[in-house]
Amino acid sequence: MTDKSRDDSTAWSSWMMNPWNLGQTVSSYFVDAWQRTILYADIERQVGDQYQAQRKLDVPNVLNFPAELVMSGLTLPRPVNYLMVRILAPDDQPTDPSKRPFLVVDPRAGHGPGIGGFKSDSEIGAALQAGHPCYFVGFLPDPVPGQTVEDVMRAHAAFVSKAAELHPESQGKPVVIGNCQAGWQVMMAAAVWPELFGPLILAGAPLSYWAGRNPMRYAGGLLGGSWLTAMTSDLGNGRFDGAWLVKNFENLDPANTLWTKQYNVYAKADTEAERYIGFEKYWGGYVFLNDVEMQYIVDNLFIGNKLSTAQLLTSDGIRIDLRNIRSPIVVFSSFGDNITPPAQALGWITDLYLDDDDVRSHDQTIVFTTHDRIGHLGIFVSGSVGSKEHRKFASTIDQIDLLPAGIYRATVEETPDDDTLLNDPYLMSVRQSNLAEIAEIVQPDPESDRRFAAAARLSEINLAFYKSTLQPWVKALTTPYTAALLETLHPMRLSYESWTSTHPWAATIHQWAENISQQRQTVDKDNLFLEAQENFSQAMERVLNNYRDRRDSIYQIWFDTVYGSPLLMALAGHAPGDSAPARPHPGSSPEHLAFVRQQMHRLDGLLNEGGLLEAALRGLFHIAKQRHSVDERYHHAAMRLREQYDTGHVDIEKMRAAIREQALVLAHHGHKAVEAIPHLLSKHKSEEIRLVASLIKKLISAIDEQDAAPEAVVKASEEVLGLFEAAAKQQEQGGRSSSADDKPVAETASKVATKAAAKTTPAVTRKSAAPASAKPRTAQPVRKTAAKSTGTSSTGTSAKTAATAPVKAAAKPATKPLAQTTAGIPAHAAAKPAADKPVSRSVGETKVGAATKAKSNAVAKPQAKSVEPSKETGKATSAAGTPAVKSAPASPASKSAAKPATTSLPASGQGKVAATKPASTGAASRTRQRKS
């Protein structure tokens, strides 16, 4: 017998010996239970009244912030039911016009808008607290007849363009937060118009629907495919009722749906009313989708899973390839999320990329972070998440935007008590990750993919059969009246409409509840009947959870058995023993492979190019690599030094280009890039060199005071500072190093090797294995126009050079992303005359904003003239329409698209692409060529 059982039996024995005490215990419990029942009934009445009131609003939402309309999707040439509003900042918390705006896009997945700003500690609240202007993109309950997913995607691009137009003083492009379903829509828009978007934050957004082990992914196959979706839309007279999506979410967790949620309100009727009523305002705000929208989503995403392998095309033939996105992508998911587990949030990375070099060659920066236990809605609603993760995303977004290409893992932890650099309770750290770590989370399963491919094929067959047989009859028998009747009789709606103030007993219950509130008699927490009530509730949860687990395992067994059968596998084109992948890798285009070779050739020439800025960045990267992880304190220390030495305004885009380029140089050349630092400093005065070295030393010391440096970091610091000091002494002696064209870098480095500290080999060193024949003849002009030293422009501004905030001169590749095509979309409602008519365009052809023959000539004909004066500023501008810098190489890509005007959005696919390793070398690269 356990101690608790012994105590319980003793308590019961004592009460049996004292009937009076037993009677008091029983009566106090039942009085309390009766009062809680009345209070619970009145709470549910208020929920029903709230539901009725929300349905009467023209623009229902659950935003907790005042806002004003900025742009309506109803006025676009291809109208949609989306709206963009400006969040009005509190008087005591004004926004900073120099900070980039935030756009929070809410999911349209059955519920109404506002979840991103549901509480003060939310995504919107975190952005406002960090001083960023904030906008919210929501929607109306009813879609515009005929609107499509592509129309919504174009509207998102127009909203982002409008936000950038409203903030010309911003230091960067708008940050876009996509919640759940809005995440994949934002990614689609950013893949077609990458030049518009700043960093993307995906919160609980599914992108790879066949990944993971969650039972929700089996639903489409067990129902026979998407024919049921089509029939539901037909019965709704062309509209799909979002209440069905909410019903599917509730079915995932029957314990919470059938018992826990209601019991928690009943057991805590005195304190849970406000929280519960507020949440039900969102949970019961059902919206509708067009039949074509819902069919597209189910066929191409839920069942087809075509987004993560670049199989989707726009109506004008533009391929939606997520590898075209040039902005950093932050993926936030949770292992406690049963709707979008981390595997579905991160699976697109393993679907698209073969290795880490493949990620870097597409110039993509991916940062992911995971939560241990928070649920799906908790990612958007939980105050703890809003005040921790989302707050750190907002406050460190500029630092994330400066990360070089690659995969990173971010963690948010409590700030050490003795820290003096960061005035924040939480600290974000970022460490280098890789595709292998992503694969451990996703756990790709080719056999499972083949079964899902069979389910997708059967879905196509069943849908075609339904359309050719039953659909004409269903549409003929459906009227607006029958659709409205089915909407009213939906079980989710009945639960709200059946108990409101219009019910005959509602007034009596409400009066009783008011009287009870004034004469409340609560029971003691140690009451044995109350403990028995809690034990019964826990038993109900266990029973329902066991039912859920058994049901889910049966679903998986049925799915694997049916769609793993030889017959259905044959429908998908897979014979027994066939090892062909169910979804072939999208591969690399010949243009991309040629571009990678050209970039590799260009990186060979950048080893000796640069000045103070490049030397400082290489030194800092070399030191940071030994730590394996950096946190935001580096940035704060650099900003303090920047303020101390008054470096002035820093162009974030130029700085980002310089950082990414030097990271590639260091990854490509390895330690040779560090040894070349004295050569980069050979054209500068000793005072300038020592100033930059002192800033690097102060930055390192500021961090070491908070976090003791490992031995490898100390050696790397000594080596870098030794190289700077050797270069300064060399300048004092008047012995300037010769240029790299006259003397190899190895000789230059060897002269100062004895004066520098001991060198340490970086953890990862990459060597160029490309044979001479692998470099195309067309790359020679690129070598001739390779970037020159940017540090020479800082001769007169050495006092304004900081470690992480150096002079403005920075290398910025004027290159064009691969697979770039054009697609015109309306900018916003106020855009005229372009807003009156959408711009049409086919693959490889454009009528606005870009040259049409650039892509076809990308390999065969390099651009002879890479820099031309800007008519507006008089400064040199690159062919891509961006300010040119001396270190920016001429790219054989297109002449480029001009800066987006306010009347139309730029051509699709614009952005910068960097590369690291020749795609023509190595086994993985040869495989990639064969697949392409």
Side-chain angles (χ1 to χ4, degrees):
M1 179 180 289
T2 63
D3 293 339
K4 187 177 187 305
S5 301
R6 187 180 298 107
D7 292 341
D8 291 344
S9 66
T10 303
W12 280 104
S13 299
S14 63
W15 276 328
M16 293 301 294
M17 296 295 294
N18 190 344
W20 175 253
N21 288 341
L22 177 61
Q24 285 186 325
T25 301
V26 173
S27 72
S28 62
Y29 169 76
F30 279 104
V31 168
D32 175 72
W34 166 252
Q35 290 182 342
R36 280 189 280 116
T37 302
I38 300 300
L39 294 175
Y40 171 77
D42 194 59
I43 291 172
E44 291 292 354
R45 178 196 61 80
Q46 297 177 57
V47 170
D49 291 346
Q50 177 181 257
Y51 171 81
Q52 296 284 4
Q54 283 290 102
R55 292 197 61 183
K56 296 177 182 178
L57 296 177
D58 294 332
V59 188
N61 63 80
V62 293
L63 273 179
N64 193 34
F65 298 88
E68 61 181 6
L69 180 66
V70 172
M71 184 176 178
S72 173
L74 297 174
T75 60
L76 292 173
R78 298 173 68 167
V80 295
N81 65 328
Y82 279 76
L83 308 170
M84 183 174 77
V85 298
R86 178 190 288 109
I87 303 298
L88 303 179
D91 296 336
D92 58 345
Q93 201 176 60
T95 58
D96 186 349
S98 66
K99 291 189 175 182
R100 63 178 83 218
F102 268 63
L103 270 77
V104 178
V105 186
D106 245 20
R108 185 162 154 254
H111 304 95
I115 196 66
F118 187 61
K119 297 180 179 180
S120 57
D121 287 331
S122 59
E123 295 163 332
I124 292 178
L128 291 176
Q129 188 175 11
H132 293 272
C134 194
Y135 295 85
F136 176 79
V137 177
F139 42 85
L140 301 175
D142 293 307
V144 176
Q147 82 176 36
T148 65
V149 170
E150 183 179 336
D151 294 337
V152 175
M153 182 180 72
R154 292 173 180 270
H156 287 335
F159 293 150
V160 176
S161 178
K162 180 65 175 179
E165 176 190 333
L166 294 174
H167 296 275
E169 301 177 4
S170 170
Q171 284 288 304
K173 297 177 182 178
V175 180
V176 183
I177 301 178
N179 292 325
C180 188
Q181 174 263 2
W184 56 258
Q185 281 194 333
V186 166
M187 289 282 280
M188 290 171 65
V192 181
W193 299 281
E195 71 280 3
L196 299 177
F197 290 76
L200 305 176
I201 301 177
L202 310 180
L207 292 168
S208 185
Y209 300 86
W210 293 358
R213 295 291 183 268
N214 62 316
M216 193 175 183
R217 64 190 187 133
Y218 302 119
L222 295 175
L223 295 174
S226 65
W227 70 273
L228 191 57
T229 301
M231 188 177 73
T232 304
S233 299
D234 294 338
L235 291 173
N237 199 30
R239 296 191 310 170
F240 185 90
D241 191 350
W244 290 112
L245 296 176
V246 180
K247 182 66 176 175
N248 290 337
F249 295 150
E250 291 205 333
N251 288 339
L252 291 175
D253 192 357
N256 182 73
T257 301
L258 301 177
W259 180 261
T260 306
K261 184 170 68 172
Q262 283 76 19
Y263 173 76
N264 188 54
V265 179
Y266 166 76
K268 304 174 182 177
D270 300 298
T271 58
E272 282 294 296
E274 182 178 357
R275 185 204 62 81
Y276 176 72
I277 294 173
F279 178 76
E280 290 298 305
K281 183 179 181 180
Y282 166 75
W283 194 249
Y286 308 123
V287 298
F288 295 86
L289 292 88
N290 266 342
D291 51 356
V292 292
E293 286 182 289
M294 194 63 206
Q295 201 65 41
Y296 180 96
I297 294 171
V298 174
D299 287 339
N300 294 300
L301 301 179
F302 294 168
I303 297 178
N305 197 21
K306 298 178 181 179
L307 176 60
S308 62
T309 48
Q311 299 181 61
L312 295 180
L313 300 174
T314 63
S315 59
D316 49 1
I318 308 301
R319 184 171 298 279
I320 302 176
D321 190 342
L322 301 183
R323 295 175 297 180
N324 288 338
I325 299 175
R326 299 277 76 84
S327 306
I329 304 170
V330 180
V331 181
F332 179 33
S333 59
S334 172
F335 289 102
D337 186 351
N338 63 345
I339 295 177
T340 307
Q344 289 193 354
L346 298 169
W348 63 278
I349 304 174
T350 56
D351 290 343
L352 284 176
Y353 300 105
L354 295 174
D355 51 38
D356 296 316
D357 285 342
D358 200 11
V359 178
R360 284 186 285 268
S361 72
H362 285 86
D363 195 32
Q364 280 209 317
T365 302
I366 302 172
V367 182
F368 73 96
T369 182
T370 57
H371 199 282
D372 293 333
R373 60 185 181 279
I374 198 72
H376 183 71
L377 290 176
I379 294 177
F380 327 121
V381 178
S382 175
S384 61
V385 173
S387 61
K388 186 178 178 182
E389 278 81 3
H390 289 298
R391 179 178 174 181
K392 299 311 298 182
F393 294 153
S395 62
T396 62
I397 197 64
D398 290 333
Q399 304 167 44
I400 293 173
D401 196 22
L402 294 176
L403 288 174
I407 300 176
Y408 302 86
R409 183 159 194 167
T411 56
V412 180
E413 300 173 344
E414 293 185 1
T415 304
D417 296 334
D418 57 348
D419 186 86
T420 60
L421 289 176
L422 188 65
N423 185 22
D424 194 291
Y426 298 106
L427 175 70
M428 175 175 281
S429 302
V430 177
R431 65 170 175 82
Q432 185 81 44
S433 182
N434 50 49
L435 199 65
E437 186 174 2
I438 297 289
E440 290 180 2
I441 298 175
V442 177
Q443 298 182 356
D445 186 356
E447 289 297 327
S448 178
D449 285 352
R450 293 189 184 94
R451 290 191 286 269
F452 279 104
R457 180 57 182 154
L458 182 63
S459 175
E460 295 174 356
I461 296 173
N462 289 340
L463 179 62
F465 181 79
Y466 167 76
K467 288 183 176 180
S468 60
T469 56
L470 296 178
Q471 190 178 59
W473 291 95
V474 175
K475 286 187 173 182
L477 296 175
T478 300
T479 65
Y481 174 79
T482 60
L485 181 62
L486 290 176
E487 173 188 334
T488 303
L489 295 178
H490 192 284
M492 297 295 293
R493 286 190 169 86
L494 284 177
S495 64
Y496 291 100
E497 295 182 348
S498 59
W499 179 241
T500 65
S501 293
T502 59
H503 194 281
W505 292 353
T508 303
I509 296 296
H510 176 60
Q511 185 62 43
W512 288 358
E514 288 186 343
N515 295 336
I516 289 173
S517 299
Q518 299 174 1
Q519 303 174 9
R520 184 75 171 96
Q521 299 181 28
T522 58
V523 68
D524 295 336
K525 293 183 179 180
D526 59 351
N527 188 290
L528 288 187
F529 290 95
L530 184 62
E531 293 180 1
Q533 171 190 301
E534 291 291 335
N535 293 335
F536 177 79
S537 175
Q538 295 173 10
M540 286 294 297
E541 287 186 27
R542 287 193 295 270
V543 169
L544 292 172
N545 285 334
N546 289 335
Y547 158 74
R548 176 202 60 199
D549 296 339
R550 300 295 183 272
R551 179 201 63 185
D552 294 346
S553 62
I554 291 173
Y555 283 175
Q556 182 176 356
I557 292 172
W558 285 358
F559 184 90
D560 293 343
T561 302
V562 173
Y563 293 103
S565 64
L567 176 61
L568 290 182
M569 293 288 283
L571 288 177
H574 297 285
D578 187 3
S579 60
R583 295 180 303 149
H585 186 272
S588 296
S589 64
E591 293 85 358
H592 178 71
L593 297 178
F595 175 75
V596 169
R597 290 193 293 268
Q598 293 162 8
Q599 287 290 81
M600 293 299 302
H601 187 67
R602 186 177 70 86
L603 288 174
D604 289 337
L606 291 178
L607 176 62
N608 307 323
E609 298 293 336
L612 283 171
L613 171 61
E614 287 73 17
L617 289 176
R618 291 187 193 182
L620 288 172
F621 285 155
H622 178 56
I623 297 170
K625 183 181 291 185
Q626 312 310 317
R627 277 191 175 271
H628 306 294
S629 175
V630 296
D631 55 55
E632 56 184 302
R633 291 177 295 182
Y634 280 85
H635 178 78
H636 287 279
M639 289 300 100
R640 289 188 181 184
L641 292 175
R642 174 174 177 259
E643 294 175 359
Q644 179 181 353
Y645 288 91
D646 189 25
T647 59
H649 185 78
V650 178
D651 190 316
I652 289 184
E653 288 299 321
K654 290 182 179 180
M655 176 60 65
R656 183 172 185 259
I659 289 175
R660 297 171 81 83
E661 183 172 79
Q662 291 309 308
L664 288 175
V665 170
L666 187 63
H668 178 59
H669 292 284
H671 201 257
K672 288 183 179 180
V674 180
E675 294 173 348
I677 288 179
H679 179 77
L680 302 183
L681 301 174
S682 61
K683 298 180 181 180
H684 294 274
K685 298 179 181 180
S686 59
E687 294 83 1
E688 297 174 340
I689 297 173
R690 285 197 172 97
L691 174 62
V692 175
S694 67
L695 295 177
I696 294 177
K697 185 176 181 180
K698 288 181 179 180
L699 176 61
I700 297 171
S701 301
I703 301 302
D704 291 344
E705 290 178 1
Q706 310 295 326
D707 188 7
E711 183 179 357
V713 174
V714 175
K715 290 183 178 180
S717 304
E718 293 176 351
E719 178 185 12
V720 171
L721 295 176
L723 292 174
F724 270 81
E725 180 61 24
K729 290 182 178 179
Q730 206 170 41
Q731 293 300 97
E732 288 178 344
Q733 297 171 1
R736 292 179 176 271
S737 302
S738 60
S739 64
D741 295 333
D742 300 330
K743 188 174 292 185
V745 177
E747 294 185 20
T748 305
S750 64
K751 288 185 177 182
V752 300
T754 57
K755 301 179 182 181
K759 294 179 285 185
T760 56
T761 303
V764 181
T765 303
R766 294 181 177 83
K767 297 182 180 180
S768 174
S773 59
K775 299 173 182 177
R777 296 177 63 86
T778 58
Q780 297 303 320
V782 179
R783 187 182 185 90
K784 293 179 182 180
T785 60
K788 296 183 179 180
S789 170
T790 62
T792 56
S793 63
S794 62
T795 303
T797 60
S798 60
K800 298 181 179 181
T801 306
T804 57
V807 290
K808 293 183 179 180
K812 187 175 183 179
T815 56
K816 184 177 181 179
L818 299 168
Q820 178 169 316
T821 51
T822 55
I825 69 171
H828 49 78
K832 296 181 181 294
D836 298 331
K837 184 177 181 181
V839 182
S840 61
R841 176 166 49 230
S842 60
V843 178
E845 182 181 20
T846 179
K847 296 181 181 179
V848 285
T852 59
K853 298 181 180 180
K855 180 178 177 180
S856 61
N857 297 332
V859 179
K861 189 175 181 181
Q863 194 68 27
K865 184 177 181 181
S866 61
V867 177
E868 61 184 13
S870 170
K871 293 181 180 180
E872 296 180 1
T873 63
K875 298 180 181 179
T877 58
S878 67
T882 55
V885 186
K886 287 185 178 181
S887 62
S891 170
S894 82
K895 290 184 179 180
S896 114
K899 185 177 180 181
T902 58
T903 55
S904 65
L905 294 178
S908 65
Q910 300 295 331
K912 301 183 290 298
V913 176
T916 57
K917 194 172 182 178
S920 59
T921 62
S925 299
R926 288 195 294 272
T927 303
R928 189 186 307 113
Q929 286 193 23
R930 287 197 298 269
K931 290 184 178 180
S932 65

